[in-house]
Amino acid sequence: MNKIKKGDTVRVIAGDTAKGKGKEAKVISVDAKNGKVLVEGVNMIKKHEKPSAANQNGGIVEKEAPISISNVMLVHKGQPTRVGFKEVNGKKVRYAKTNGDVID
């Protein structure tokens, strides 16, 4: 089970400010195998694409690049927090370590 999931709001806590340090945004996708996350509007890159069926014109496209999962921190009730796991009613759940609230 991952500490960060798709749809979570996270704060970027490490890296270059140009890449998004300090920004809060939503997680687009999580690659648990490689320990990477795709965060909306963070670590933007320019990619040169050929014309294709999906993109008729091609050209330079700006898109998000993955960043390390260790460089983001979950935001719960407007406050960044570490995430822990505990069992509630026989089910494993994530909880915020700052105040002990169950996240999901």
Side-chain angles (χ1 to χ4, degrees), residues 44 88 97:
M44 299 299 283
V88 176
K97 290 210 172 180

Side-chain angles (χ1 to χ4, degrees), residues 48-61:
H48 297 258
E49 290 191 350
K50 281 181 162 180
S52 64
N55 185 3
Q56 297 286 320
N57 297 333
I60 302 169
V61 178

Side-chain angles (χ1 to χ4, degrees), residues 25-98:
K26 217 170 205 157
V27 174
I28 299 169
S29 69
V30 178
D31 182 5
K33 185 180 175 191
N34 297 320
K36 301 279 184 182
V37 287
L38 214 57
V39 183
E40 210 172 74
V42 173
N43 197 19
M44 299 299 283
I45 59 166
K46 286 181 169 45
K47 187 166 172 62
H48 297 258
E49 290 191 350
K50 281 181 162 180
S52 64
N55 185 3
Q56 297 286 320
N57 297 333
I60 302 169
V61 178
E62 237 186 303
K63 60 188 263 183
E64 294 94 355
I67 58 173
S68 177
I69 205 162
S70 66
N71 292 344
V72 297
M73 196 172 221
L74 184 75
V75 174
H76 182 66
K77 293 185 179 173
Q79 189 178 11
T81 179
R82 291 191 311 236
V83 179
F85 293 99
K86 64 181 175 183
E87 207 168 294
V88 176
N89 300 331
K91 192 174 182 190
K92 188 177 176 183
V93 293
R94 297 186 300 166
Y95 75 98
K97 290 210 172 180
T98 52

